[in-house]
Amino acid sequence: MPRRTPRRTRQSRRTEPIWQTPTVAPRLDERRTDRAAGVLLGAAVGDALGVPYEFKPTLRPDQRPMMIGGGLGPYAPGEYSDDTQMQLCIAEVAATGADLRTTEALDRIADNIHHWRSNGCSDIGSQTSAVLGAARRSNQGSSSQAMLDASRHFTATHDRSAGNGSLMRTSVIALAYLDDPTAMAEAAALVSSLTHADLDCVDACVLWCSGVRTAVLDGTFNGVRNGIALLPHDRQAKWTKILDEAEAHPPHHFNPNGWVVAALQAAWSAITRTPVPPLLPGQGSFPAQHFQLALEAAVRSGNDTDTVAAIAGALLGARWGCSGIPLSWQQAVNGWPSNTSADLIRLAVLTARGGQDDTDGWPSAPRVRTPVFAGAAFSRNHPHDPDVVLGNLTLTEFTGRAPADAVISLCRVGSDPILTGTPVEHVRVWLVDKPGANANLHFVLDQAARELLRLRLDGRRVLLHCVAGRSRTPAVAALYSYLFTGTAPKAALRDVHNALDGNWTLHAHLEMHDAVYELTTGDAPSPPERPSRIASWLPWR
């Protein structure tokens, strides 16, 4: 949220850019798509995690933040605040494939923000409120021009005009310009200036968008520093020093953090100073846990906790992907107007894909196309727990064939309820049935098995399925056996395999097979214990 104590920096107008037709976007393979899907979801998760602690006493290192709601709303558990609400005003336009630098797109963003203020605003910072009020009273130009004029006037007439209220909402812009960092910087500057025209705000948005863009494309955090080259030459040394300071001090050093520079430093400090855990599956250590650990550090920075965590969450989500975000947080997050994690993923992926669905209609289709290789609907009871039903995607089209109180989908299914006419808790797991396509394979399998255990301990009858029910489903089912009964991986895989009529070895994903062993014993199996390589590749679904 934009806050009340930002510092004043010199204002100037940037030279109007000469825009060019965007180049062809870089190929979005499975890992890049996963990371793009994590941007809005990561921001919303960070926002909701920070909501309960905003402007309250700083948490101690031994206190773990939780999505318990409350805060300034008061908010429901898992509900995000205006930080994410305003970003969705931008995302709804970006997801159409629009060039956000055009007057038409900026007008739509401005109109969305005005609509949000009138119909969904749960909180609003003083600077944003003042700019929107002045723009609404103006009769000059388009809605975006009125907002830009009001914002620039506010910057010129106030000593404190560099609040964090634009940095919290502009990360999605990076997804619209994965092919063109210059165009991205221009769009970030314009969208920031709708409410925050101060150069500190504009620069911060450019740097963070650069960080998100590079994280999606390359899976690193290098883009924040590389983004300094996108700034005016006379401001580059300043930002190099700012980032150096952030890396030298813990997040709570930058408190209060209503000033955009301090908010960026707190978020960057939380990310860079939190160690990335090693991959030790048998010991429950996964690199993707950096997402959670760094977000918790961001919340412990204190003061404007939801904003700092939302800023950090967007970049962390871009680096670790949707698959790196704990499933419990994905299940909990919600907010205006009625968004769930699936809605946030849809907007982010559409933005990264230039507003286009793939050939199956994903991510927008109510129900993705069921491929031929999924086969006829089938269901089998889990060999070690009859209240876990193992099935395939086709089965979900026939609710009478799969009575369940909850469903765990290990594949893409569409935006509609998974079992039509049957209200159930639905857990969506980002897991790709293609070798090399899962950056966080061990983490995701572990998360899925533990979600299954949680639902069963809650007394739910659970349907566990993927597309064909022959690769992802048995891997998670075997891990569940280990958690639920202590069954060794070889026996668990054998029993699940037999329950599925012995067909699993013909469709085995060897990385998943090995991961089951590594998560339970710490070691991959020897070659004689590995399944056949026949049909070990299936299309990404």
Side-chain angles (χ1 to χ4, degrees), residues 133-464:
R136 180 65 81 186
R137 293 188 295 271
S138 172
N139 295 318
Q140 302 298 316
S142 65
S143 56
S144 63
Q145 190 59 54
M147 199 176 286
L148 286 167
D149 290 343
S151 174
R152 288 164 177 160
H153 178 74
F154 186 97
T155 300
T157 56
H158 288 74
D159 290 335
R160 294 182 174 182
S161 63
N164 59 27
S166 61
L167 180 57
M168 70 185 193
R169 58 174 165 80
T170 47
S171 293
V172 69
I173 294 169
L175 298 178
Y177 299 94
L178 294 174
D179 59 314
D180 191 340
T182 301
M184 177 204 70
E186 293 166 352
L190 280 168
V191 176
S192 172
S193 296
L194 287 173
T195 55
H196 292 69
D198 192 291
L199 290 185
D200 277 355
C201 301
V202 171
D203 288 349
C205 291
V206 170
L207 289 182
W208 214 248
C209 283
S210 175
V212 169
R213 175 182 174 275
T214 297
V216 169
L217 294 178
D218 301 337
T220 73
F221 292 118
N222 296 337
V224 174
R225 280 197 176 271
N226 292 345
I228 291 175
L230 297 170
L231 303 180
H233 183 75
D234 62 351
R235 297 179 62 79
Q236 293 179 7
K238 169 185 175 175
W239 281 97
T240 298
K241 181 179 178 181
I242 287 170
L243 295 180
D244 289 342
E245 290 175 349
E247 294 171 16
H249 299 284
H252 62 77
H253 178 82
F254 307 99
N255 188 336
N257 41 44
W259 179 34
V260 68
V261 172
L264 183 147
Q265 287 179 305
W268 186 237
S269 171
I271 291 170
T272 58
R273 291 174 62 86
T274 300
V276 176
L279 179 60
L280 299 170
Q283 300 177 32
S285 176
F286 312 98
Q289 289 169 327
H290 181 253
F291 178 93
Q292 176 175 343
L293 296 172
L295 264 196
E296 291 173 349
V299 174
R300 291 193 191 95
S301 67
N303 196 243
D304 202 355
T305 49
D306 58 336
T307 296
V308 172
I311 294 165
L315 182 52
L316 288 163
R319 167 61 185 89
W320 296 110
C322 170
S323 66
I325 300 176
L327 283 175
S328 60
W329 286 355
Q330 293 191 42
Q331 287 298 103
V333 73
N334 67 92
W336 177 86
S338 58
N339 289 307
T340 64
S341 59
D343 301 307
L344 301 171
I345 291 169
R346 174 181 58 82
L347 289 171
V349 172
L350 281 175
T351 300
R353 290 178 54 86
Q356 301 297 313
D357 292 319
D358 68 8
T359 55
D360 292 326
W362 184 81
S364 301
R367 170 77 62 161
V368 299
R369 180 180 60 85
T370 301
V372 173
F373 68 77
F378 76 87
S379 66
R380 301 288 186 273
N381 289 338
H382 191 291
H384 304 141
D385 185 353
D387 283 320
V388 173
V389 177
L390 310 179
N392 61 352
L393 181 61
T394 314
L395 180 65
T396 66
E397 301 171 1
F398 304 94
T399 58
R401 300 277 296 278
D405 304 309
V407 178
I408 297 179
S409 297
L410 306 174
C411 60
R412 305 178 307 180
V413 295
S415 58
D416 271 3
I418 185 63
L419 300 180
T420 304
T422 305
V424 296
E425 181 174 352
H426 186 199
V427 180
R428 301 166 186 260
V429 180
W430 191 289
L431 188 59
V432 181
D433 198 3
K434 179 179 177 181
N438 297 283
N440 304 307
L441 177 61
H442 297 84
F443 178 76
V444 174
L445 290 174
D446 182 72
Q447 288 272 302
R450 293 181 186 279
E451 269 301 284
L452 177 53
L453 179 62
R454 175 189 68 83
L455 291 167
R456 286 295 300 119
L457 292 177
D458 195 36
R460 310 288 190 89
R461 179 172 171 82
V462 184
L463 167 61
L464 177 69

Side-chain angles (χ1 to χ4, degrees), residues 468-506:
R470 304 299 188 188
S471 183
R472 288 166 282 193
T473 297
V476 174
L479 278 175
Y480 170 70
S481 291
Y482 175 78
L483 294 174
F484 186 61
T485 66
T487 307
K490 184 176 181 179
L493 286 167
R494 179 199 63 219
D495 293 347
V496 170
H497 160 82
N498 290 334
L500 292 170
D501 303 324
N503 291 328
W504 180 54
T505 54
L506 296 180

